[in-house]
Amino acid sequence: MDYYRLSDEPIQAARLNKENGLYRMSVHMSTLAIDVLLKSVLFRMNQSDSLIMSHNHLGIVDVIESRYPRRDHVRHAAKLSRKYFKDSRYSNSENFPIFTKELAEAFIGYAELIKKYVDTECQSTLEDMQKKHARIRLPFSDG
């Protein structure tokens, strides 16, 4: 599963939804982008981690921080993303006024912040690549 590549569409959708005044859906698409970006690192670290099947963004960040640098702004974005993940998806009409242009812009910023963190501080290592490809046997290789 290429979670990283899956993040492209939700980020684009978040921007388009904001431009079209669909702020709740913009927030939701931003939280979805954050979800799959964080899972892209977790999946590389441990494909069988049960958090991959959850939407516990802060829990995923906790695992990521066991190998990569802790960043308070990333933790803050993950916490807000988890809070709004369900609300933006299953919101009742009474909650619609909280989904403003400013909130949509903030969440697009959070998604971009998480993407930058994944791109710059959670880069694949040689060990990650060896683990990923350990099951592949090359022709004429020993073993």
Side-chain angles (χ1 to χ4, degrees), residues 2-31:
D2 192 347
Y3 287 101
Y4 186 84
R5 287 186 67 197
L6 287 175
S7 70
D8 288 339
E9 285 183 348
I11 289 173
Q12 290 176 26
R15 291 182 184 120
L16 290 171
N17 282 324
K18 183 192 71 102
E19 289 171 15
N20 288 300
L22 302 170
Y23 305 129
R24 181 179 64 89
M25 288 310 300
S26 177
V27 169
H28 177 63
M29 287 293 108
S30 294
T31 64

Side-chain angles (χ1 to χ4, degrees), residues 69-110:
R70 176 189 169 110
R71 299 290 181 246
D72 289 337
H73 58 284
V74 169
R75 294 187 68 73
H76 178 73
K79 183 178 180 180
L80 287 175
S81 179
R82 178 60 190 121
K83 177 181 184 217
Y84 282 91
F85 189 83
K86 182 180 168 193
D87 288 347
S88 64
R89 190 174 190 183
Y90 301 113
S91 187
N92 59 40
S93 59
E94 296 168 1
N95 291 342
F96 283 4
I98 67 169
F99 296 100
T100 63
K101 181 179 182 180
E102 293 76 23
L103 189 64
E105 288 171 350
F107 270 88
I108 291 168
Y110 294 142

